[in-house]
Amino acid sequence: MALLDARGVNVGYEPARGQRIWSVRDVDVTLEQGEFVGLVGESGCGKTTLGFALTRMLRPPARLEGGEIRFDGVDISGLDGEQLRAQRRNGFALVLQSGMNALNPVRTVERHFGDIMRAHARPGEDVSRAQIRRRGAELLDSVQLDADVLSRFAHELSGGMRQRVSIALVLSLDPRLIVFDEPTTALDVIVQGAVMQTIKDLQREKGFTAVLISHDLGVVLDATDRVMVMYAGRIVEDQPSAELLRGPHHPYTEGLLSSYADPRADEVELGGIPGAPPDLSLPQAGCSFAPRCPLVEPICHDADPPLTLLGAGSAACHVRASEVAAHAR
């Protein structure tokens, strides 16, 4: 049984004024124990919203409008209050993309650990200040920070240190699934590499399932086993990371790949994707990528393509599906 199995997930944003925005549309996600999966796409494609939905962290105006999210066999999509809190311990957690925004500026790191450990304590569990300090020091050490960080406030830490603290706080729940929402945003390249190496080391050591949300395809390909590509609220491709750099892919994936070039080349030519993503407040007829697609055919404007076999994974593309069918004949 998969650790997480989500089917038909739909998330809408209902602003006080204006049309409802369908940020996630009929998404299916399966995650196995110990997998490291990447989720990439343009800003606004719904990847962060999907991460929040899978970990039940959505807040108004966002709302889970439909679908089933099974974690370890339990449908968490309808849970609330204490039932949901109980699932988070040894269950699932989310690391936010900005450590400064995730941490309370008027509470020390030690008090953050205390808040989490007391909120999720089981009957008879030791949550004394001494135990919180011991456990906090252990977790900080696991992300390569000294124990004296416990007495500091968020503004006294660098961006990389704040992000490591956020990871350590999540680890206090001993989760089996962690969603990392752009954990290296606003960090310089050196710190970004160090934080990503820490995440990879922790994932190998502890064996938790990880989802890395990012707009940086290079970082995702380096860290993950499998990559899901998201466009206009849907997963349009799902491939092993090692296969993403060869063979035909969804035209949107190929557009993303063409935006990266070999820095060692004498001449660097960058591709691009013309046009703009669709307005998700409007009904989508056919393939959402059709207006920007270089391979578009008449069927693309009429029918929304399902995920079908492509290489070692799958893609939602009428053209690629036709090519696979023709090759099989």
Side-chain angles (χ1 to χ4, degrees):
M1 181 176 63
L3 179 64
L4 183 137
D5 188 22
R7 290 286 175 265
V9 175
N10 286 278
V11 178
Y13 283 83
E14 296 189 55
R17 299 179 190 149
Q19 297 290 322
R20 177 183 298 179
I21 299 169
W22 292 101
S23 182
V24 175
R25 301 183 296 129
D26 293 317
V27 167
D28 297 343
V29 176
T30 300
L31 302 173
E32 303 292 342
Q33 180 64 51
E35 265 195 306
F36 201 151
V37 179
L39 180 59
V40 299
E42 294 172 272
S43 295
C45 71
K47 56 188 186 295
T48 290
T49 299
L50 178 59
F52 274 62
L54 296 179
T55 53
R56 290 296 318 280
M57 291 291 287
L58 291 173
R59 297 291 182 271
R63 193 169 80 176
L64 185 64
E65 297 284 358
E68 182 180 82
I69 304 171
R70 288 196 169 273
F71 181 83
D72 200 20
V74 178
D75 186 3
I76 62 172
S77 60
L79 299 184
D80 209 347
E82 289 303 317
Q83 288 182 317
L84 183 58
R85 185 195 296 268
Q87 289 292 325
R88 295 193 187 282
R89 179 73 181 267
N90 302 121
F92 45 89
L94 174 72
V95 176
L96 300 173
Q97 65 178 269
S98 173
M100 191 66 190
N101 294 337
L103 301 175
N104 189 325
V106 298
R107 298 178 77 80
T108 62
V109 171
E110 179 184 339
R111 294 188 71 179
H112 280 83
F113 276 111
D115 291 342
I116 292 176
M117 292 173 66
R118 292 190 184 99
H120 296 275
R122 290 171 176 153
E125 191 169 5
D126 182 6
V127 287
S128 64
R129 183 178 181 188
Q131 175 59 20
I132 289 169
R133 289 189 63 84
R134 281 193 295 270
R135 178 66 171 150
E138 291 173 4
L139 292 168
L140 289 176
D141 181 67
S142 72
V143 296
Q144 301 174 12
L145 291 177
D146 295 332
D148 62 8
V149 170
L150 285 169
S151 62
R152 299 189 190 180
F153 294 90
H155 69 273
E156 299 177 299
L157 306 175
S158 68
M161 293 173 74
R162 287 194 291 266
Q163 203 59 28
R164 290 173 187 270
V165 167
S166 296
I167 295 169
L169 290 169
V170 160
L171 292 175
S172 67
L173 295 176
D174 296 314
R176 285 174 289 162
L177 167 64
I178 302 179
V179 175
F180 295 91
D181 182 19
E182 303 198 35
T184 57
T185 294
L187 302 180
D188 65 59
V189 174
I190 301 300
V191 177
Q192 175 183 1
V195 170
M196 281 308 308
Q197 189 60 52
T198 298
I199 291 173
K200 290 189 287 185
D201 291 344
L202 287 168
Q203 197 269 340
R204 282 194 295 266
E205 174 190 338
K206 297 182 180 295
F208 55 77
T209 299
V211 176
L212 175 61
I213 297 173
S214 179
H215 60 268
D216 191 331
L217 191 54
V219 170
V220 170
L221 288 174
D222 179 64
T224 62
D225 309 311
R226 178 162 65 96
V227 178
M228 297 184 294
V229 181
M230 196 165 186
Y231 182 78
R234 291 194 65 207
I235 302 296
V236 297
E237 185 152 9
D238 187 342
Q239 294 283 352
S241 301
E243 300 297 320
L244 208 63
L245 294 178
R246 52 177 173 263
H249 295 291
H250 189 286
Y252 177 64
T253 305
E254 292 178 351
L256 292 179
L257 290 168
S258 72
S259 300
Y260 291 83
D262 186 349
R264 298 166 296 182
D266 294 331
E267 294 185 9
V268 175
E269 293 185 10
L270 293 177
I273 304 174
D279 184 345
L280 296 182
S281 68
L282 301 176
Q284 304 296 311
C287 175
S288 298
F289 191 61
R292 310 174 71 186
C293 182
L295 305 179
V296 64
E297 294 184 355
I299 188 176
C300 302
H301 295 290
D302 301 324
D304 199 2
L307 281 168
T308 55
L309 182 68
L310 179 64
S314 58
C317 177
H318 292 300
V319 176
R320 295 306 186 207
S322 297
E323 292 172 352
V324 170
H327 182 74
R329 288 197 289 266

